[in-house]
Amino acid sequence: MIKIKSSRELELMRIAGRITAEARASAARAVKPGVTTAEIDRVVRKTIEDAGAKPSFLGYGGFPASACVSVNDEVIHGIPSKNRVIHEGDIVKVDVGAYIGGFHGDCAMTIPCGEVSEEAKRLIAVTRQSFYEGIKLAVAGKRVSDISHAVQTYVEANGFSVVRTYVGHGVGAELHESPEVPNFGRPGHGMRLQPGMTLAVEPMVNAGVFGVKCLSDGWTVKTLDGKLSAHYENTIAITDGDPEILTLLENGEEL
């Protein structure tokens, strides 16, 4: 069942979204050579808790940390570790969520550590832009798959592939709500978008094949061919006009 948010509920989601964006920005500043993924996780948790919120991911389905930190060929759901050190040239995906006032924010981005390869730079840029290409279609009256098709078309036109096993989703009082928001598919299908719907749109883009595998820890997802992957996500609200990005800083930026 799709949950349509009232104006009051949307205001609460803006608060959650802003704190989530602050956590993402803090994580981005923390990505440096020699830093461990556990240290990044600690920064995320402190930022969220200092704002009076709770990390959405901590304990969710048994996840043991406040942030998913995935490096290079890890696509999503990387478990932070004091033994995993970030090196110059790595690309680091940080996915965060914050819960406050009964609602969640959810966002992610891919952060280059120092100087990275040209392919990595392009992969990160295409992944981020594919989100913006997708939400051009996130308007009342369109369908969920219109977003999906726009993401896929842009990614594949740039020579990359979209992950199909994992998708975006509704978000609100629950971290994962209906509907699912795939990053691929034919346009004109799925739920019709309505004002008050809130969605986490999150392209996951691989440099090689779209296939992925989940590791024995039950969480970490890697590319099937060992090539790089990037991730970008924001929580958005469908309005009577253009979509509103809820997971931005107070100044309207992401960093």
Side-chain angles (χ1 to χ4, degrees):
M1 179 179 174
I2 306 298
K3 298 179 180 178
I4 303 298
K5 279 69 175 184
S6 67
S7 58
R8 173 58 181 158
E9 289 171 329
L10 285 172
E11 184 53 41
L12 292 169
M13 287 198 67
R14 289 185 189 100
I15 295 169
R18 196 151 47 241
I19 295 169
T20 309
E22 288 167 358
R24 175 174 63 181
S26 295
R29 290 191 294 270
V31 171
K32 297 175 183 176
V35 169
T36 67
T37 55
E39 288 174 296
I40 296 169
D41 179 66
R42 280 196 293 273
V43 167
V44 167
R45 182 170 183 172
K46 185 177 188 305
T47 302
I48 293 170
E49 292 181 344
D50 283 354
K54 295 180 179 178
S56 300
F57 299 173
L58 186 59
Y60 184 80
F63 191 74
S66 299
C68 300
V69 186
S70 311
V71 184
N72 294 336
D73 64 333
E74 296 169 353
V75 183
I76 50 172
H77 301 164
I79 299 174
S81 168
K82 63 182 180 181
N83 298 318
R84 186 64 184 273
V85 178
I86 305 300
H87 300 286
E88 178 91 12
D90 287 341
I91 63 171
V92 183
K93 284 129 283 181
V94 180
D95 192 354
V96 298
Y99 179 75
I100 190 171
F103 291 91
H104 295 271
D106 189 6
C107 66
M109 71 185 309
T110 304
I111 305 139
C113 181
E115 188 61 33
V116 301
S117 69
E118 289 304 314
E119 179 190 47
K121 289 177 186 176
R122 199 167 74 84
L123 176 65
I124 292 169
V126 167
T127 302
R128 182 180 183 278
Q129 186 58 34
S130 73
F131 164 84
Y132 286 98
E133 295 298 319
I135 69 166
K136 288 177 183 177
L137 283 299
V139 295
K142 293 288 188 180
R143 293 188 182 272
V144 168
S145 74
D146 295 330
I147 300 172
S148 310
H149 181 72
V151 171
Q152 180 182 14
T153 300
Y154 183 78
V155 167
E156 292 181 352
N158 281 278
F160 298 127
S161 62
V162 292
V163 172
R164 302 183 181 211
T165 310
Y166 300 89
V167 299
H169 52 90
V171 60
E174 303 294 331
L175 184 58
H176 291 89
E177 297 181 349
S178 293
E180 290 191 340
V181 185
N183 296 303
F184 64 97
R186 293 181 298 152
H189 293 269
M191 184 70 58
R192 197 174 291 279
L193 301 174
Q194 305 173 53
M197 291 175 65
T198 47
L199 308 173
V201 178
E202 53 176 319
M204 291 155 269
V205 178
N206 294 348
V209 300
F210 66 75
V212 298
K213 58 184 177 183
C214 187
L215 301 189
S216 59
D217 63 17
W219 286 102
T220 308
V221 176
K222 284 194 170 192
T223 59
L224 206 55
D225 57 10
K227 293 187 177 180
L228 294 176
S229 183
H231 183 201
Y232 186 81
E233 174 186 23
N234 279 304
T235 299
I236 68 166
I238 306 301
T239 73
D240 289 319
D242 293 332
E244 178 185 356
I245 299 176
L246 302 177
T247 42
L248 292 177
L249 301 175
E250 198 164 0
N251 63 5
E253 298 179 357
E254 63 185 34
L255 289 177

